[in-house]
Amino acid sequence: MLIDTFKFLSLFYAIPINDRNESHFNKHVEFLNESLGADNEIVKLLAQDFDWIRLLSECRNAIEHSGEGQRIEVENFSIKPGNRFSLPVWTYDLTKKLKVKKGPHDLLNDLDVLCSNMMHLIEDLIVLVVMDKLKSHPILALYKIDEQALKSECPVRYDVTLKNNMVS
């Protein structure tokens, strides 16, 4: 999902992504920083989220290329003494590249947080790209729909429509 997120950005900002560097997120962020500037909202968002992006990326690497300083261990649901139920936990050692070793942590909670982070990042990036690409458009702009106007069957939160100064 992270790779696809940066591939999406490359459609608009010509990030040089190929099969050999598609997961070099630090280089992609550096490219965007150089081409868009450090004050760009997309660059600021990625810089702000880069720690968890890198953590997630290195967890994937630890699963696919496990070794010393790059390992994830998962303990599934279990019954503890006294018939106590134990939720799944995970421990990760990412000291090879990140100098991070943590656990055991609640696996379900951590996955929920990481999935939520991903969904918010993707939504924010889509909105920021649209805003960036429309800022010089003469009559169109992106607007956030009022929360009370959202339809429960299709809660679309944004709309591209005529700029306010164009409506008579």
Side-chain angles (χ1 to χ4, degrees):
M1 187 86 127
L2 285 172
I3 290 170
D4 290 332
T5 301
F6 282 91
K7 284 182 177 179
F8 163 76
L9 289 174
S10 74
L11 295 172
F12 301 95
Y13 302 105
I15 302 169
I17 295 178
N18 58 48
D19 291 341
R20 299 194 53 81
N21 74 351
E22 64 186 10
S23 64
H24 296 178
F25 306 122
N26 58 332
K27 292 182 179 173
H28 304 330
V29 173
E30 286 174 24
F31 176 86
L32 289 169
N33 186 34
E34 290 171 11
S35 59
L36 301 176
D39 290 337
N40 180 279
E41 292 300 320
I42 294 168
V43 173
K44 287 196 270 187
L45 176 64
L46 292 171
Q48 166 192 310
D49 286 1
F50 195 72
D51 287 344
W52 72 259
I53 290 171
R54 186 75 195 276
L55 175 71
L56 188 57
S57 174
E58 291 307 324
C59 283
R60 177 208 163 268
N61 289 340
I63 291 168
E64 292 194 9
H65 311 288
S66 186
E68 187 67 32
Q70 189 167 308
R71 184 177 317 279
I72 290 180
E73 295 176 11
V74 176
E75 182 182 323
N76 206 346
F77 294 97
S78 61
I79 303 265
K80 300 292 183 190
N83 283 338
R84 292 186 38 213
F85 184 68
S86 171
L87 294 175
V89 295
W90 69 322
T91 302
Y92 51 90
D93 177 1
L94 305 173
T95 53
K96 181 176 179 182
K97 292 186 180 176
L98 293 184
K99 312 296 184 235
V100 174
K101 185 175 185 177
K102 294 192 177 180
H105 285 273
D106 181 337
L107 177 63
L108 299 177
N109 181 67
D110 287 359
L111 290 177
D112 182 52
V113 168
L114 289 169
C115 286
S116 178
N117 286 351
M118 280 296 305
M119 296 309 294
H120 283 100
L121 174 66
I122 292 166
E123 180 183 47
D124 291 347
L125 286 173
I126 291 170
V127 168
L128 290 172
V129 168
V130 170
M131 286 175 58
D132 184 46
K133 295 304 176 182
L134 287 178
K135 85 176 131 185
S136 62
H137 197 281
I139 63 170
L140 295 177
L142 181 76
Y143 292 96
K144 187 170 184 177
I145 297 173
D146 186 72
E147 291 290 324
Q148 285 73 29
L150 294 180
K151 297 178 179 140
S152 60
E153 63 275 4
C154 185
V156 176
R157 297 182 350 168
Y158 298 93
D159 188 23
V160 174
T161 189
L162 294 174
K163 288 184 178 179
N164 278 337
N165 60 357
M166 297 302 292
V167 179
S168 43

